[in-house]
Amino acid sequence: MIPPFAYVRARSIDEAVALLARPESRPAAGATDLIGCLRDEVFTAKAVVSLGGIEAMTGIAETADGGLRIGALTSLTTIVKHALVAGRYPALAQAAASVASPQLRNQGTLGGNLCQRPRCWFFRGGYDCARKAGDTCYAMQGDNRYHCVFGGSTCLIVHPSDTATALTALDAIVSIAGPKGTRSVPIQQFFVLPEKDMTHENVLAPGELVTTISLPAPRAGLVSVYRKARARASWDFALAACAAAITIEQGKVTAARIVLGAAAPIPWRVEGAERMLIGRRLDEPTRARVAAAALNGATPLEHNAYKVAMLRGVVSEALGSIG
Amino acid sequence: MICNDVALEGVELEAALAEALNTPTGTADIPAWTDTKVVGQRLPKIDAYERVSGTAVYPSDITLPGMLHAAVLRCPHGHARVKKLDASRAAKMPGVRAVLTPESPGADIPWYPGEKGYVSRLLDTHCRFAGDEIAAVAADTPYQAFDAVRAIVVEYEVLPNVVGLDAALAPNAPAVLDGPTNRAGDPRAQGRGDVAAGFAAAEVTVEGTYSTGTQLHVPIELHGAVVRWDGPKLVAWDSLQGVFPAQNTYARALALPLSNVRVIGHYMGGGFGSKLDTGKYGVIAALLAKQAARPVRLFMTREDTMRAIGNRPAVRMTVKLGAKKDGTLTAIDFSCTGSGGAYSAGGTGGVNWLPLDLYRCPNVNTVSTNVYIHAGPERPFRGPGHPQGAWALEQAMDTLAAKLGMDPVALRLKNVPDISQGRQDQARYTSTGLATCLTEGAKTFGWTEARARVPQAGPVRRGVGVAAGMWRGGGGSPPATIIVRLVADGTASVNMGASDIGNGTKTWAAMIVAEELGVPVDRIGIEHADTATTQYTGASGGSKTVPTEAPAIRAAAIEVKRQLLALAAADLKVDATALSIADGAVFVTADPSKRIVIRQFRPLAQRGVLVGVGVRGPDTHGMAVNPWGVHFAEVEVDTRTGLVRIQRYLAAQDSGKVMNRLTYDNQVIGAITMGQGLALTEDRIMDAAHTGRVLNANMHDYKVPTALDAVVAPVIVAVDPKDTTCNIAATKGLGEPATIPAAAAIANAVAHALGVRVVDAPISPQRVLDALAAPRTPAKGVRS
């Protein structure tokens, strides 16, 4: 059961921004994560601001330079079914298709998927943990089998979003509206590590919301893929995931993005491994070297050493499906 | 509260008593079925339309005028004492009509029987697991009730908790039940022969350690009831597997005569053992309803059911097997440790039965140790203890086969028993389908070819595995009393106390009457599961519903038939033995032109009804009735990610005569899926480091297999040994035996695929990768 709250429908982005600037106002796009968070008392809401009626935040459009502009309210199902997404950015289509269940994909939005809160069972389980401004991270002593192997510090969450991993590999730009106007940030700068901000997963300030996600035009030779390992074939977050976006020209890699999911508190780009690909053919020895290098510097916790092998496995699968 | 062992012994006790009291058999003169025309067909459930269209009224659908909604306050700590509780603000909140705290009159009802009397109360200030009930509120709306519960101010003295088996047995561990140790009584030894001599005679031995996780029932319909007082009488619509055990619990808890308690459970949305009886929720609802003088609806939240309504306990087991070179078992040494949580000693109930009874072996020793921990109490769960025992024994058998250089099917065939060595009287089984399940199953599955297939190169490995099982229950027993009525228009009805727990009880009941009376299945009405209008029977659990009720239904139908034929014989002026019944008519067998259409039969119309009463007769003296099963699985394991996919599956079951092949198959598919969950994904995880809470008390983190995970179109081989000794319906139970070997078969297939054995359930990707990363010496357990 959820404690009482006011429910307001915003008619425009400006109105939403004004409503969200009030204390304990929460945006509702698909509300699939919002309801879980309210029910689990992850946070409280005095007001829920529905974004559903804001036309300017919907739809998928091709931009003049050949990229895509995706409204934050676009449902994951719409993204999965969109021919341009599937054709030019298969990693995003595959990531969106792997989210949760058909019902949740029908209801859940791309903006919401990027901004969902972590699944850490201490964070969700009524613990007054560091991410909720409490004084400790319970995963440090407790069962941390699903926690991070990179980027942990005073909080050990992994970022739960499949699409965030794919969009990071695809160099997406996140457009944000807020009380001080609008701004756009490269997706890599959108997510923040706990060492920078313990209680937020991204740079959104109070009153700010994601309005659009833009993808640059795909370069000739760009191939992208998303691979996700999970305990169940449906309705499950990643145990390990990898998005790869590789540009191959005349048989050789000229650009590469490899991003790990369920590995760190943010989508975790492995630039060292990416660099190893440049100028090479994507053959089996290279793939194996790169998959191994992708996990360099991983610091597994007491219960999640398996994640290192599993992440290596999904990197190898992802690269294998390209090469 | 029912504990596994008590329930099982209870069944046997009931049978003994029925015999001693000379209960009318009603079935003594009736020969057992051999061939049947209607029974055994594939018929959709008679209430399928109601179920899928949403018109079936489940207990959670009941709405009564003036009905209140209740919510329960539960302890958030693994172990705590309530120092102060202030519900005064909650009581004054809008819509609140009743508040129940440990101080309220009537809230001190003794609960959870221990070794020396009850160990807790309905609402208790000493909370022994995170989820223990402390207080409850009834209000006009569910939201008001939840808000009021949240407004109750509790000051806890948080005490140290212990949720792990080792931690609970460590010196100076926090005491769960205030005893000198958290061990629940002395370890229980059971066995036969001389195990040391058996191992001395063995030419090959294997030894290993295995464990399972704690599995939760997760039925679709939550646990709960709608209750209403009608003067001194209590009426409860409760989501149950058995209305009569619940009637007893309501009556005991509330000090009411049985005849003043009516429990109704027409539809129910799944139980798997967790709804054999009502729970605290029902009695709390009744007390709130009494206080408010209004009907009360109390259904638990999903999260609370996952904390507090029961589980299949995690068990740690060691198995040592000794055998001759030809595979003949000479000794089995088995020990197991498990916990039934804070209030039940039954952590290992049923776990040792397969080591005791599945294979012929003269020397067996089993030791079972039960431990109390700060966790929700166990409850019977689909073949209590047996899937865990199979997990260990059947993996050990595979290891033994490998060491002997024998085929795993051949090794099992070498050791098929014909007497129940686990029973004191060494009774002979009325039928043992184990050998047929092994051979027919292996043939249909293509076992030999699949086992011999050369492993493919690459990261994805394929393997096949087999496991056998049997269920200690499944024979059914008295009491059951059935009334069948034939009415003037030629239609019939069955009146039975049993609940239909989703497996088609109503449908096969109608099929049995159709078989005997020639009335079409869609002309047969069912009244059932109502303590006020149907006759006493035990809960639909223990895979006893078919073998208990089917013989009584058949006897009642035959009695109606006898009366009908007597009337018809007088009318047609022939001897009743010269008559047959088919398609709504009675006719002279030798001259079918001489016939009476039943719905136009005046003597029947004049009487209005023919009534037949059937009683479940006693079991065949000195014989054991058990169902058997053997499962075959083919899996693919991705060595990069540790993910296991089941590619192919076969279940061969001996449950005697099939009542309805469609619901039979569905029952087996559900059982396989549940075994798959135990094997691969399901595991209650507790916060041992801090609070003792269940960390994954939700449908996402607790991973029941989804439709995309479940085995696609498993092959089901129904082995029918034509057992005319077990009962007059020639049938045995199915629901539990069909889940018992499933997890072990999958584990054996994974071991075959990997060449390394994962001995702990669930075989999560984590454990597969850890096993592959471990040095290739058997550090923990054995491998083939």
Side-chain angles (χ1 to χ4, degrees), chain B residues 74 112 129 131-133 300 303-310 376-377:
Chain B
R74 292 168 187 277
Y112 299 125
F129 71 94
D132 226 348
E133 293 83 351
M300 294 170 68
E303 293 89 338
D304 287 345
T305 65
M306 298 178 90
R307 297 176 181 115
I309 60 87

Side-chain angles (χ1 to χ4, degrees), chain A residues 1-4 39-41 119 121-122 125-127 137-139 141-143 145-146 228-237 239 303-307 309-310 312-314 316-317, chain B residues 142-143 146-147 150 301-303 638 640-643 645 680-681 683 685-687 689-693 695-696 698-706 708-709 764-767 769-770:
Chain A
M1 291 290 167
I2 298 169
R39 192 180 156 98
D40 292 339
E41 302 187 28
R119 304 303 307 181
W121 46 27
F122 300 106
Y127 289 76
C137 170
Y138 288 84
Q141 302 296 319
D143 194 318
R145 72 182 74 183
Y146 299 137
K228 172 177 178 178
R230 48 182 160 175
R232 288 193 295 210
S234 175
W235 196 21
D236 216 353
F237 288 88
L239 292 168
H303 302 290
N304 71 358
Y306 76 98
K307 274 201 168 190
M310 193 183 246
R312 200 183 296 129
V314 289
S316 149
E317 270 191 60
Chain B
Y143 304 97
F146 277 85
D147 287 347
R150 204 178 270 107
T301 64
R302 174 63 67 189
E303 293 89 338
D638 190 327
R640 293 168 299 192
T641 54
L643 291 171
R645 292 290 293 173
L680 299 179
T681 55
D683 189 12
I685 298 164
M686 304 195 70
D687 180 15
H690 314 97
T691 57
R693 288 180 198 160
L695 286 173
N696 57 346
N698 61 68
M699 299 280 273
H700 163 250
D701 289 310
Y702 183 85
K703 296 179 196 299
V704 178
T706 68
L708 288 184
D709 299 289
S764 59
Q766 174 180 6
R767 288 204 169 111
L769 293 172
D770 287 348

Side-chain angles (χ1 to χ4, degrees), chain B residues 464-507:
Chain B
V464 289
V466 62
M470 51 101 65
W471 165 232
R472 186 182 170 180
S477 65
T481 305
I482 298 290
I483 299 168
V484 170
R485 286 179 301 208
L486 182 70
V487 291
D489 66 354
T491 65
S493 67
V494 183
N495 177 294
M496 66 175 168
S499 301
D500 183 339
I501 58 176
N503 45 4
T505 300
K506 289 154 73 179
T507 306

Side-chain angles (χ1 to χ4, degrees), chain B residues 159 185 240 254 399 660 708:
Chain B
L159 302 166
L240 290 170
L254 300 164
T399 309
N660 178 346
L708 288 184

Side-chain angles (χ1 to χ4, degrees), chain B residues 210-228:
Chain B
Y210 307 85
S211 78
T212 58
T214 301
Q215 191 177 23
L216 304 175
H217 300 78
V218 203
I220 290 296
E221 187 179 34
L222 298 165
H223 291 65
V226 174
V227 302
R228 186 188 75 196

Side-chain angles (χ1 to χ4, degrees), chain A residues 272-283:
Chain A
E274 290 172 0
R275 275 196 298 275
M276 289 173 67
L277 279 174
I278 303 298
R280 294 190 175 272
R281 294 185 180 280
L282 204 52
D283 52 16

